Amino acid sequence: MNSIENLQWRYAVKKFDEHKFLSEEQINILKEAFNLTATSYGLQPVKMVVIKNKDLQQQLVVHSWNQHQVAQASHLLVLCIPKELTSEHVENYFKLVKDIRNTPDEILNPFKEFLTNDIDNKSPEVLFQWMKNQAYIALGNLMTVAANEKIDSCPMEGFVPEKYNEILDLDKYNLQSVLVLPVGFRADDDYMKDLKKVRRKTEEVVIEL
């Protein structure tokens, strides 16, 4: 199947099959896809928590607007951003660039100085929104890769981040949760499974100049 057919196949699953689980290979594909997601400046101010623990997943349902997919899914992916982003993150990024590409300092330093100043001069609110935008890019990429791998998913904004942070003990990682993606396999009796996808015509949403 091609990409368009796979995207036609994809939908936001309302009920997962609780007895079907992703293989280690499938989870590794999603982890690698997350890591390969494009981010602004390549800084990767995002991390992903992979949960395969039914007790933990069940605890999170009540803090997910009682969306039971959180517990039904094979795995629960929680996309997170740093509670605080500092110039140290930029420094570590450029060390990695130098290690991998062996780029000379005289080429790296001007860009590193620009990014350091840019982050230092942004308010916490602006940085939060910028990092959250990167998490949305990762979410979209994960959903597309999942569809191509015939893995079902259901993107969620409807949850209580503070409770997720507390239950998952994200403070110790300097992280805060921003998005949730249950993944697994659709249940045979999911009422959404055979419904036609509702979308406007392509020419209504695409402007060609």
Side-chain angles (χ1 to χ4, degrees), residues 118-131:
D118 188 52
I119 287 175
D120 285 344
N121 291 325
K122 278 185 167 59
S123 68
E125 294 78 17
V126 169
L127 279 176
F128 172 85
Q129 191 57 57
W130 172 71
M131 291 188 290

Side-chain angles (χ1 to χ4, degrees), residues 66-180:
N66 287 316
Q67 296 177 90
H68 291 280
Q69 301 99 305
V70 167
Q72 296 165 346
S74 168
H75 292 68
L76 183 65
L77 310 182
V78 181
L79 305 191
C80 305
I81 60 175
K83 292 181 66 178
E84 182 182 12
L85 188 73
T86 67
S87 55
E88 183 181 0
H89 188 98
V90 177
E91 184 69 34
N92 291 336
Y93 168 71
F94 280 97
K95 285 179 182 177
L96 188 61
V97 173
K98 189 169 184 178
D99 288 345
I100 292 174
R101 295 178 176 171
N102 199 28
T103 307
D105 286 337
E106 55 266 29
I107 293 176
L108 292 179
N109 285 342
F111 189 31
K112 179 169 71 172
E113 184 177 350
F114 162 76
L115 285 183
T116 300
N117 291 333
D118 188 52
I119 287 175
D120 285 344
N121 291 325
K122 278 185 167 59
S123 68
E125 294 78 17
V126 169
L127 279 176
F128 172 85
Q129 191 57 57
W130 172 71
M131 291 188 290
K132 190 172 182 180
N133 289 345
Q134 311 311 305
Y136 275 100
I137 296 172
L139 178 70
N141 192 43
L142 281 168
M143 290 166 61
T144 300
V145 170
N148 282 329
E149 296 294 328
K150 284 294 177 288
I151 297 170
D152 284 302
S153 65
C154 181
M156 292 182 177
E157 297 176 294
F159 72 105
V160 184
E162 294 79 11
K163 289 296 184 181
Y164 267 64
N165 300 345
E166 178 185 336
I167 292 170
L168 302 178
D169 198 15
L170 296 181
D171 274 354
K172 72 178 181 182
Y173 304 105
N174 186 39
L175 294 175
Q176 53 189 329
S177 55
V178 290
L179 293 167
V180 176

Side-chain angles (χ1 to χ4, degrees), residues 188-204:
D188 288 337
D189 60 347
D190 184 357
Y191 75 95
M192 289 284 290
K193 180 171 67 73
D194 298 317
L195 295 182
K196 291 183 177 180
K197 192 177 289 292
V198 178
R199 293 292 189 275
R200 293 156 65 185
K201 292 180 179 179
T202 303
E203 55 267 27
E204 292 180 5

